[in-house]
Amino acid sequence: TFAPGAMFNRSLINDISATSVVFATGDASDTRTAVQAFRNTQPYVDIKMYNEIDETTRTGKVTVDVYTYVVPGNSMHTLNVWLVQDGLVGMQASGGSQYTHNHVFCGTLNNSAWGQQIILKARETRRYTFDYKIPEAITVTYGSYEGATFNAILSNMQIVAFVSDFSESDPTACNVYNAAKIPVTTNISPGGIGTPVVSERAPIFSFDGVRMH
């Protein structure tokens, strides 16, 4: 690995002859070129999120609406819905033991860290709903901090959804087409939609598939 590095939508940047979805940012012109390339890219999908939560019981339901403008090719497409948290203090290489980590992955509301396959159809909205319950504390289940626990502070947590291509073997074939997030403590009910609706329910799982609740 190297730093500093950048990644845009898990995509190869052809304009800078990148061979990996992560590229070195030592040359500022490469970063500007990458930003411009994505500013000129048409939107393929739009994501809207709605969340309803009872903070007393820590149970909620998040609704994700995916609208497709243009179907991005013939690849398999997936929807990932993750729970993340800000403000976790811990060790960071070259950053010391009191480094504040944000956007920390806490679990997935799909049944897999790979997400779930979805069908994209132009000019159609599909709806996915996920019931969840967030525990008071979350235990790390992988890496050097395995077994450690941290408080799950609702006001510091967000739910993130993104639509992407899927490949289990090729990291350059997992382009992200759009993403959205909503604070866990937000209460917004979804309105009705007149196009096909697909409902899904899932508990929270860790990155390696361990059920957390």
Side-chain angles (χ1 to χ4, degrees):
T1 58
F2 53 85
M7 178 172 63
F8 290 79
N9 298 346
R10 291 196 314 213
S11 300
L12 283 174
I13 314 297
N14 295 325
D15 292 345
I16 61 174
S17 301
T19 58
S20 168
V21 296
V22 180
F23 63 93
T25 57
D27 186 344
S29 65
D30 283 351
T31 304
R32 288 194 296 269
T33 298
V35 170
Q36 188 61 42
F38 282 99
R39 288 183 64 183
N40 295 334
T41 301
Q42 67 174 349
Y44 289 96
V45 300
D46 184 45
I47 300 174
K48 288 184 170 61
M49 300 179 69
Y50 312 90
N51 188 59
E52 301 169 90
I53 187 170
D54 182 335
E55 294 187 41
T56 302
T57 62
R58 302 173 70 89
T59 58
K61 178 174 71 174
V62 63
T63 301
V64 182
D65 285 353
V66 178
Y67 176 81
T68 303
Y69 296 103
V70 178
V71 179
N74 297 318
S75 301
M76 175 179 169
H77 308 296
T78 59
L79 171 67
N80 275 275
V81 184
W82 289 1
L83 183 69
V84 300
Q85 182 168 334
D86 293 337
L88 296 179
V89 177
M91 178 62 68
Q92 169 68 29
S94 302
S97 62
Q98 296 298 304
Y99 187 89
T100 299
H101 298 264
N102 294 320
H103 315 300
V104 177
F105 176 86
C106 297
T108 172
L109 300 188
N110 308 103
N111 288 332
S112 165
W114 295 107
Q116 66 187 73
Q117 183 176 5
I118 61 172
I119 303 300
L120 301 179
K121 185 176 180 180
R123 298 179 298 281
E124 180 176 287
T125 297
R126 286 181 173 250
R127 173 167 291 173
Y128 305 85
T129 60
F130 303 87
D131 292 331
Y132 62 86
K133 182 172 183 178
I134 300 175
E136 296 283 346
I138 293 176
T139 301
V140 179
T141 59
Y142 60 94
S144 58
Y145 284 94
E146 184 173 359
T149 61
F150 58 89
N151 293 329
I153 302 173
L154 297 183
S155 59
N156 289 350
M157 305 183 92
Q158 303 94 39
I159 300 171
V160 177
F162 61 93
V163 172
S164 68
D165 289 336
F166 172 82
S167 173
E168 192 170 346
S169 59
D170 183 2
T172 67
C174 299
N175 295 353
V176 174
Y177 292 108
N178 214 335
K181 70 176 180 179
I182 191 169
V184 164
T185 53
T186 299
N187 268 294
I188 301 177
S189 299
I193 58 176
T195 46
V197 171
V198 180
S199 295
E200 298 288 345
R201 295 173 180 266
I204 296 175
F205 285 78
S206 70
F207 220 154
D208 54 356
V210 177
R211 181 167 177 165
M212 302 173 69
H213 189 87

